[in-house]
């Protein structure tokens, strides 16, 4: 950690400008706009995405309340939702950040191209493969870390964010995150520590994945068992 950054953080220890989790989500999970590209029919894929469905859920920290209510009482036919792509905390992930630990408790660290993926192949192998292809074909150049997605991982990340409320109904999901960091849920979680350029790269990848999924001539194939939506989640 750089000394000047440490001193700035030290001065903020007593300043509750915003709660750590809210700060992480406020700055880490939102899309960063970029100029719209045009499809062959002249429509912007961004407009298509708006029509095909964006959702912002509330009360995740209270127990996934918003996403659970929506998936239990959807405003569109549930079987019309072909996939759910979830971003949360995508603004950090530097080499100085401990982004999590492996199932065997080995520390994980980020880097300039770092991105964690959770759940991308748990229901649909095709979705996981598609994301890898988009990352390569679109020259996004992100390095995917799947360590937090290990079966039986004690952090249980697969069950702890809004994507799972879709997955329990058999809807393929992927959780995109740059992982934890030392300011997680702390009053020091300030916007000045966000890597906005990296966050834009993540948002660009997720947009391209969404467009690719929407443009398929079929639903992404679910080739793994669908869970019981009323049963407890286990990673």
């Amino acid at each position: 950690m750089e000394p000047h950054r440490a001193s700035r953080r030290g001065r903020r220890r007593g300043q509750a400008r915003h709660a750590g989790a809210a700060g992480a989500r406020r700055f880490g999970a939102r899309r960063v706009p970029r100029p719209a590209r045009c499809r062959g029919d002249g429509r912007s894929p961004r407009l298509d995405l708006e029509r095909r469905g964006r959702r912002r859920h509330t009360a995740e920290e209270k127990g996934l309340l918003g996403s659970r209510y929506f998936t239990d009482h959807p405003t569109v036919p549930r079987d019309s939702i072909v996939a759910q792509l979830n971003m949360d905390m995508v603004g950090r992930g530097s080499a100085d950040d401990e982004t999590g630990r492996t199932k065997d408790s080995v520390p994980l660290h980020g880097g300039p191209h770092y991105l964690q993926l959770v759940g991308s192949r748990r229901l649909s192998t095709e979705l996981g493969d598609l994301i890898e292809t988009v990352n390569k074909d679109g020259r996004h150049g992100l390095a995917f870390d799947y360590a937090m997605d290990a079966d039986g991982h004690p952090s249980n990340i697969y069950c702890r964010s809004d994507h799972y409320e879709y997955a329990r109904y058999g809807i393929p999901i992927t959780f995109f995150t740059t992982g934890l960091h030392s300011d997680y849920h702390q009053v020091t979680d300030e916007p000045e520590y966000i890597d906005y350029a990296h966050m834009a790269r993540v948002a660009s990848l997720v947009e391209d994945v969404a467009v690719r999924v929407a443009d398929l001539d079929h639903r992404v194939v679910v080739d793994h068992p669908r869970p019981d939506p009323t049963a407890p989640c286990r990673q």
Side-chain angles (χ1 to χ4, degrees):
M1 181 183 297
E2 299 173 7
H4 70 281
R5 176 171 290 188
S7 64
R8 288 203 305 270
R9 290 183 182 183
R11 289 198 299 271
R12 289 195 178 88
R13 288 294 174 188
Q15 299 176 12
R17 291 177 60 181
H18 56 256
R25 188 158 296 104
R26 183 177 304 140
F27 298 104
R30 290 186 177 179
R31 292 282 304 278
V32 177
R34 66 174 182 168
R37 299 164 300 169
C38 286
R39 297 157 49 105
D41 56 11
R43 299 198 312 271
S44 161
R46 188 177 303 283
L47 296 178
D48 280 354
L49 288 175
E50 292 288 1
R51 187 176 71 249
R52 291 172 183 177
R54 288 184 186 175
R55 296 291 180 269
R56 291 180 174 87
H57 302 296
T58 59
E60 188 234 32
E61 295 283 354
K62 293 292 187 180
L64 314 183
L65 301 184
S67 54
R68 174 168 285 267
Y69 186 86
F70 175 76
T71 52
D72 283 342
H73 310 280
T75 55
V76 296
R78 191 183 296 114
D79 62 6
S80 71
I81 304 172
V82 300
Q84 198 267 354
L85 308 176
N86 182 25
M87 286 189 289
D88 193 358
M89 294 175 57
V90 294
R92 296 286 291 266
S94 75
D96 293 331
D97 289 320
E98 183 175 313
T99 60
R101 289 178 175 257
T102 69
K103 185 177 177 179
D104 299 323
S105 200
V106 177
L108 300 169
H109 291 275
H113 310 295
Y114 186 79
L115 185 63
Q116 290 181 7
L117 266 60
V118 174
S120 60
R121 292 185 175 90
R122 286 187 171 269
L123 286 171
S124 172
T125 303
E126 181 181 19
L127 178 59
D129 292 347
L130 182 149
I131 294 169
E132 293 273 3
T133 299
V134 169
N135 185 48
K136 180 180 178 181
D137 292 352
R139 297 183 294 278
H140 296 284
L142 292 165
F144 296 157
D145 182 353
Y146 293 96
M148 300 298 290
D149 195 31
D151 289 342
H153 195 294
S155 293
N156 206 32
I157 296 296
Y158 178 65
C159 303
R160 287 173 49 190
S161 193
D162 291 320
H163 55 265
Y164 180 70
E165 298 303 329
Y166 292 80
R168 69 191 174 100
Y169 278 109
I171 298 168
I173 65 91
T174 301
F175 181 33
F176 301 84
T177 179
T178 50
L180 301 176
H181 50 79
S182 60
D183 298 304
Y184 178 63
H185 283 194
Q186 303 296 316
V187 296
T188 53
D189 194 1
E190 297 284 354
E192 66 191 271
Y193 305 127
I194 297 296
D195 184 342
Y196 289 98
H198 188 267
M199 185 168 66
R201 290 176 65 193
V202 175
S204 177
L205 169 72
V206 175
E207 178 184 52
D208 285 351
V209 170
V211 170
R212 184 74 64 89
V213 169
D215 283 348
L216 291 173
D217 60 3
H218 61 280
R219 299 174 68 97
V220 287
V221 176
V222 176
D223 57 346
H224 294 282
R226 297 170 184 262
D228 176 353
T230 64
C233 177
R234 288 188 178 182
Q235 179 165 320

